[in-house]
Each structure stands twice: as structure tokens, then as C-alpha cells.
Amino acid sequence: MELAGLARSFESIPRGALVLPIVEGDQDPIERPFTHFWAYGVIRRGWFSPYLMDTAGETPMRIMYDSYTPDGFWFHVYDEPPDWKQVQSDYEYVMAYDVPRFSEALAGIGDRIYSFDALEVYRVRKLTDGGIRKDSGSVGEH
């Protein structure tokens, strides 16, 4: 089942991680379940994602982390690619769904740690001292 393969991806990302979902396409929950399915990671694993919204006095939470949000993010259409250096600076993981044109750029800033069907999960390599540091640990080490 497709949803089981998508749900297994959650195990590749630790609790409390900073996660950028990059999803393109319509929001039909039947035809495209992953458009919002990744949000279970926020609920079940405590991830941060910029898709969370808060409005003072209306929502019971406040977002304290000011992260880069790529153009096309809100409407699931990326006419321009994200600023990959900003993604690398602000996030620990990227969940890319049905955007194979970004795979090469994502491999430039991270390591693919999970894939299933149209989903690719990357652990972002952080910049340190002007160079790119590769994480040598396995999935789950943090």
C-alpha cells in the first residue's frame, strides 16, 4: 500500500527535526495523499515544518523559528527552484515528493536516506567553517 511506504519514511527522520517538505501538484487527498500526509511527522514525531501557521489570538501555538520558505511553497508549484543554500542553512531534512527535477540539487546539499515511489528523503549536510560536513552516522544517530 502506498501510504505504508510513505509512513515508513518517518522512521528515517528523528524526533524534533527541522523538515522542509517540497511537494508539487494539486491538493486532492485521494489522488495525491502525500500533499499533506507528511504533516503526520509534525503530529507524531514533533518535527518543525514551515507549513505550520500561527495567528496571534487565534491559534494555540506560536512559531518561534524563522526559516526560509521557498517561492511556490504555499501553492505546491515551483516555477523557480528553491534557494538550496538557504535550505541547507535552515533545515536538517528535506522530504521531496514528485519533484525529480530537484534530485540532483538535493544530492548536492544532502544525502538521500530514504526513497519510495515518488518520495525522496534527504538528510541535509550542514555548512561548517566554510566547507560542507558530511554526516558519517547512520539513520537514527543524533
Side-chain angles (χ1 to χ4, degrees), residues 9 11 17 28 32 44 50 52 58-60 62 66 70 73-74 84 88-89 93 96-97 102 108 114 120-121 131 137:
S9 70
E11 298 166 14
D28 183 309
R32 296 201 32 102
R44 298 182 61 140
L52 298 174
E58 292 183 25
T59 55
R62 300 299 307 155
D66 184 22
F73 180 80
W74 294 107
W84 300 114
Q88 188 173 25
S89 173
Y93 293 85
Y97 185 80
F102 295 153
Y114 184 86
E120 296 179 306
V121 178

Side-chain angles (χ1 to χ4, degrees), residues 16-18 33 38 40 49 54 56 64 86 90 110 115 119 135-136 138:
L18 304 172
W38 60 266
Y40 285 104
S49 170
D54 71 339
M64 306 304 283
Q86 281 289 113
D90 289 0
S115 64
L119 174 65
D135 287 333
S136 59
S138 64

